Amino acid sequence: SYSTSAARSAAMSWSGHVQALVDGHKASRAAIHGIDGNPWATTSGFSVSVPEAKVLKQAIDFPEYARLLPLEGVHIAGERYTFLRSDPNRNIIGKKGAGGCCITRTSKALIIAVFESPISTNDCVCAVEALADYLVSMQL
């Protein structure tokens, strides 16, 4: 599980966290952005813009923004994902073809992950949520 590998290295770099999601076959690409939208780390070839990250944060934080997601979709790195569900103040889940996305918020960061088959929605969401819980436990 992610939490086991994360516990091995409390000092793991931001890049190490996103790479662990990919190396663990829980995401195809991943990024961590500050809640101000600025990127902290990203896997190679994955470019989530600051405006995209800010919109994702607003949609997690404010129900009035989340209500727009079924119509507008979830936009990550220039790609549109169909909105599936969200938990206020926690996450957004989306789908695109046989893949999808998971965005989870901590007090200081957004973890943004996209996945493609054979990675399942459940595997990606569980790993991103475990990383978020770990970061929260580290007061991040």
Side-chain angles (χ1 to χ4, degrees):
S1 78
Y2 183 83
S3 57
T4 303
S5 61
R8 284 189 208 123
S9 175
M12 184 186 291
S13 70
W14 296 118
S15 296
H17 289 300
V18 295
Q19 196 60 49
L21 290 171
V22 174
D23 291 348
H25 306 287
K26 304 302 182 187
S28 302
R29 292 172 301 286
I32 298 176
H33 282 241
I35 57 170
D36 61 358
N38 288 306
W40 292 358
T42 187
T43 54
S44 180
F46 190 50
S47 182
V48 179
S49 72
V50 171
E52 286 173 329
K54 286 181 176 181
V55 167
L56 295 169
K57 180 198 172 288
Q58 287 180 323
I60 291 171
D61 289 352
F62 302 106
E64 59 271 23
Y65 286 101
R67 282 194 279 275
L68 300 174
L69 292 176
L71 187 60
E72 301 289 330
V74 179
H75 296 268
I76 300 172
E79 298 285 328
R80 184 184 188 277
Y81 295 80
T82 301
F83 171 78
L84 290 181
R85 68 183 183 274
S86 68
D87 293 319
N89 300 308
R90 183 62 175 182
N91 68 21
I92 297 169
I93 317 284
K95 182 156 182 62
K96 181 176 181 176
C101 64
C102 176
I103 304 94
T104 300
R105 185 195 196 296
T106 70
S107 62
K108 297 180 182 173
L110 287 174
I111 304 161
I112 303 165
V114 298
F115 63 92
E116 294 152 6
S117 181
I119 300 168
S120 72
T121 302
N122 188 58
D123 284 348
C124 185
V125 170
C126 288
V128 170
E129 291 286 327
L131 174 55
D133 289 343
Y134 168 74
L135 295 178
V136 167
S137 77
M138 301 300 291
Q139 300 180 344
L140 299 168

